[in-house]
Amino acid sequence: MPPNSIVPLHPQTTRAASLFRHYVESVRPSVKELDVNELDSLMAKNRESKAETFHVFDVRETSEWNQGYIPDAFYTGRGCLERDIESLVPDTHDEIIVYCAGGVRSILAADSLQKMGYKNVKSLRGGYGAWKAAGKPVVESFKTFSDRREY
């Protein structure tokens, strides 16, 4: 193989990626999405009213959260969301926004919450990447998630 040539993916890897994309696209129509400006407006409105029925969840990996997150977001990794959601949001009618890095994991997370009975769930289109690219405020801290004291 010549130097600097692209190594083709293993056929199984390509097939699995295709299956995953197909799955995400089959779920997407059942999930409401909002863009960064809509989320920014909702957050401002709910911050003013001090609404306790509005929740923003970051479902990325801990290492991603440690690099920065959307203000007022609560961290619960994608792998723990279904297990923890009832203790965090007992009312299935509360408004829940989920986001990840690019908007794919959050589609799956929102779909899962809807299947659990949550009625008002949305996914942030483009995720944290779109939020940051739009110049929206982010929290960047040198502390890690595990350094938090409010467990």
Side-chain angles (χ1 to χ4, degrees):
M1 187 168 281
N4 299 327
S5 63
I6 297 174
V7 178
L9 293 175
H10 187 279
Q12 291 296 335
T13 304
T14 305
R15 182 174 183 272
S18 175
L19 290 173
F20 178 71
R21 275 193 303 274
H22 176 73
Y23 174 65
V24 171
E25 292 310 314
S26 73
V27 170
R28 188 180 299 273
S30 68
V31 174
K32 293 179 184 170
E33 293 182 273
L34 73 166
D35 66 32
V36 295
N37 292 320
E38 291 169 313
L39 177 56
D40 197 25
S41 295
L42 274 173
M43 290 176 70
K45 181 181 97 178
N46 285 288
R47 202 174 294 119
E48 284 178 19
S49 69
K50 298 185 187 331
E52 294 182 16
T53 59
F54 178 77
H55 314 275
V56 178
F57 286 98
D58 185 321
V59 297
R60 298 175 300 156
E61 297 295 322
T62 306
S63 60
E64 294 171 291
W65 167 273
N66 290 341
Q67 294 173 14
Y69 54 92
I70 295 174
D72 301 324
F74 186 83
Y75 175 78
T76 181
R78 175 72 187 95
C80 298
L81 179 65
E82 292 85 354
R83 180 194 71 197
D84 296 344
I85 193 66
E86 286 180 87
S87 63
L88 300 169
V89 184
D91 188 340
T92 59
H93 291 90
D94 280 8
E95 187 166 14
I96 299 172
I97 312 298
V98 290
Y99 74 90
C100 61
V104 174
R105 288 172 286 179
S106 59
I107 288 283
L108 300 177
D111 180 61
S112 183
L113 292 177
Q114 289 174 167
K115 287 177 178 169
M116 289 180 68
Y118 285 88
K119 313 286 187 246
N120 197 6
V121 183
K122 295 180 181 114
S123 172
L124 177 61
R125 188 178 309 110
Y128 180 75
W131 180 269
K132 196 169 181 180
K136 301 296 183 187
V138 297
V139 176
E140 292 179 332
S141 172
F142 292 106
K143 291 181 75 170
T144 65
F145 178 76
S146 59
D147 291 334
R148 291 173 39 148
R149 296 193 186 276
E150 59 267 9
Y151 288 117

